[in-house]
Amino acid sequence: MLKARWHGYEIDSSEAAYEIEVPQPERLGTLVRGLLTSGYFVRSYYLLFEEPLRRLRDFVAQQGDESAAKVLGHLEQQLAKCDADEARASRIGVKAIEAILNYVGEQGQKLQAAETFRFGLLPFQVEMYQDYDMEFEPGDEIEEMDYYSEEEIPLDGVVLYLGCTLVPANKLGAKEQRRVYKLIEQSFRQVGLLQELQSWDLFGGKERDYVAEAINRSHNLTLRVRLNPDATFSVTGRWMDDGQFIFPYYDYLLRQAAKGLEIEPELYVL
């Protein structure tokens, strides 16, 4: 039975997404660790989908070499956390993430041939696809841009699925705080949102800094590492936070996080 945990997003909210192609599969884990430890992510990551690690553990246990033994220890420790509290998403550390994903990157061809990460639709997705007249077969290439909602995206090929958080603006340096404040203020003004919010202050409300309120809080997003049908890897994710208004905040932080990693994230609003 597949087990997945999802964020409780509002169904009518806006979503935005990012995609990253992985240029060096053997350094997949090092790349993801570089993103997560860039200073732009809160250093607390939650495992939202456990089954890939269970299947990987079974694959690794059959290999019997030194590198397999090392990653097997990380997998066993992580899965023990999952089993200890099945009701909650377990935390996973960057050392485990790096070791597991570097191994997966090195073994991508073998893992693809063994169909280790071949997953069908979840039960609620089967019903959703019937209602929407959508089709999907495990093994098909997944273009995440084609899916309006994250809940629609098949889990086929997913190696690691994390819940992450970007840091609030007030945790950035002074120069970056000013920069992101200006970006979001411009975004709010362009759509008339700032003027509308400020007009509410005229009716007895206390004057507020709506831009600061929007950026001085944590911002949740997901991170998925997927083994594609051609044995390449991609890193993707989404967030749901009125993406058309606060999109520049995510865009700036994700691009800064990717600096020096020889990758260029593609970001878009759905």
Side-chain angles (χ1 to χ4, degrees), residues 12-193:
D12 59 348
S13 297
S14 301
E15 289 194 24
Y18 66 94
E19 297 186 0
I20 298 170
E21 295 182 2
V22 178
Q24 296 177 287
E26 69 279 4
R27 290 177 55 80
L28 173 63
T30 303
L31 182 151
V32 173
R33 180 175 182 172
L35 275 175
L36 296 176
T37 60
S38 61
Y40 294 95
F41 284 80
V42 175
R43 299 193 69 166
S44 184
Y45 324 107
Y46 292 88
L47 187 63
L48 301 179
F49 185 34
E50 301 163 6
E51 187 63 21
L53 298 192
R54 299 187 190 281
R55 295 190 183 185
L56 181 60
R57 176 190 57 189
D58 295 342
F59 175 90
V60 173
Q62 298 174 5
Q63 307 309 305
D65 54 42
E66 185 175 342
S67 63
K70 182 178 179 180
V71 76
L72 187 60
H74 284 291
L75 288 165
E76 293 286 10
Q77 288 180 4
Q78 186 60 44
L79 290 171
K81 294 181 187 178
C82 298
D83 294 337
D85 190 352
E86 295 184 356
R88 300 179 62 183
S90 61
R91 292 189 181 188
I92 183 169
V94 291
K95 288 184 179 180
I97 290 171
E98 182 175 26
I100 291 168
L101 291 183
N102 278 347
Y103 179 85
V104 168
E106 293 169 0
Q107 303 293 326
Q109 293 282 354
K110 290 183 179 180
L111 289 162
Q112 183 65 18
E115 299 185 351
T116 303
F117 304 115
R118 183 65 57 85
F119 297 108
L121 299 175
L122 295 169
F124 78 87
Q125 289 178 319
V126 172
E127 296 181 11
M128 185 183 298
Y129 276 46
Q130 291 173 344
D131 291 341
Y132 296 169
D133 195 24
M134 298 167 59
E135 296 182 357
F136 175 77
E137 289 293 332
D140 289 351
E141 184 173 357
I142 296 171
E143 294 286 350
E144 291 204 5
M145 191 180 293
D146 294 340
Y147 296 89
Y148 177 74
S149 168
E150 184 167 30
E151 291 189 344
E152 298 172 2
I153 302 173
L155 294 172
D156 192 36
V158 169
V159 178
L160 189 70
Y161 192 177
L162 300 179
C164 308
T165 307
L166 293 178
V167 297
N170 56 16
K171 299 297 183 182
L172 301 173
K175 184 177 180 180
E176 287 193 305
Q177 286 189 42
R178 290 192 296 270
R179 181 166 186 177
V180 296
Y181 186 98
K182 184 176 181 180
L183 286 171
I184 301 306
E185 183 181 37
Q186 289 175 340
S187 175
F188 280 21
R189 287 191 185 280
Q190 285 173 357
V191 297
L193 179 62

Side-chain angles (χ1 to χ4, degrees), residues 12-15 193 217 239-247:
D12 59 348
S13 297
S14 301
E15 289 194 24
L193 179 62
R217 58 182 176 82
W239 64 89
M240 187 170 290
D241 192 16
D242 291 328
Q244 71 272 37
F245 304 130
I246 204 168
F247 179 87

